[in-house]
Structure formats: structure tokens, C-alpha cells
Amino acid sequence: MLSHEHMMADRPRDDDQTDLLTKSKPKTKRPPLYKVLLLNDDFTPMEFVVHILERFFGLNHAQAFEIMLTVHKKGLAVVGVFSHEIAETKVAQVMDFARRHQHPLQCTMEKEE
């Protein structure tokens, strides 16, 4: 980062610099990110939740177990933060998978503040 600013400072022409700044402006505004949440219920087996976390979120067993316990104790947990499209896909995959196994597991997404 420093070297980049330094290079810009070395440029002799001012208008060049402002041009550079306006060009890179849109890049800094990142698309909003979404948290994917798993909600606790009294019916979905813990092992099933761990399996979902490993399968759809690429977590190892220890990480998945940890999050499953958080869901169990606190009522919900953030499983990951993704772009809108990916978050939506993950929620759909989890919900679909849970339904097919007759579990009432709820997975939702919310915009990260």
C-alpha cells in the first residue's frame, strides 16, 4: 500500500493523479456481505448440523462441532459471511438438504452491517 501511494506522489502531473483516484473509486465500494445463520430447534440432531457445516461450509469436524454447540446454546450462530449470491445458494442448499431428511432446521441470511 505504501509503495503505491509513493508512486502516485512521484507523478509530476496533478490531473493524472485525480484521474487515477476517480478511476479506482468504484472498486473500494465492495458489494454488501451477508451472514448465513443457523437457527436452533429441538428436533434436528446435532450430528446432522455438524454434517451440514462440514458439507456445505467446508468446515473441519472441530469447527463444525464448535458452531453446532453455539447454535445449541445461544439459539443461533453465524456460519459464514458471503456475497449475496453465495449466501443465498448456501441457505437454499441447507434448507433443501434438511427438508429431504425431514429436519426442521432453519437457515437464514442477513446483511452484514
Side-chain angles (χ1 to χ4, degrees):
M1 193 65 197
L2 249 174
S3 61
H4 183 65
E5 282 171 11
H6 188 67
M7 271 165 34
M8 277 170 56
D10 283 346
R11 297 192 96 131
R13 287 172 48 215
D14 273 342
D15 58 333
D16 228 25
Q17 219 169 335
T18 47
D19 196 39
L20 235 168
L21 283 173
T22 44
K23 270 203 192 104
S24 60
K25 204 63 168 253
K27 273 197 201 123
T28 54
K29 197 181 181 318
R30 282 192 331 204
L33 291 173
Y34 290 80
K35 294 185 283 202
V36 172
L37 306 158
L38 268 190
L39 311 183
N40 189 42
D41 65 75
D42 296 328
F43 308 101
T44 307
M46 290 182 172
E47 301 78 46
F48 185 76
V49 175
V50 170
H51 176 68
I52 274 187
L53 292 169
E54 291 173 342
R55 179 171 175 160
F56 297 112
F57 297 93
L59 301 176
N60 64 37
H61 191 76
Q63 292 168 319
F65 196 79
E66 200 64 30
I67 289 179
M68 177 276 294
L69 280 182
T70 305
V71 172
H72 186 65
K73 285 187 221 153
K74 300 198 170 154
L76 64 103
V78 176
V79 219
V81 178
F82 309 95
S83 69
H84 186 273
E85 215 174 315
I86 294 174
E88 221 170 33
T89 305
K90 300 267 185 208
V91 168
Q93 284 174 331
V94 170
M95 295 293 282
D96 182 57
F97 192 70
R99 294 303 156 267
R100 275 185 290 149
H101 289 81
Q102 270 98 47
H103 295 309
L105 185 68
Q106 292 294 313
C107 184
T108 61
M109 59 191 266
E110 64 180 46
K111 201 166 172 179
E112 207 182 27
E113 293 313 319

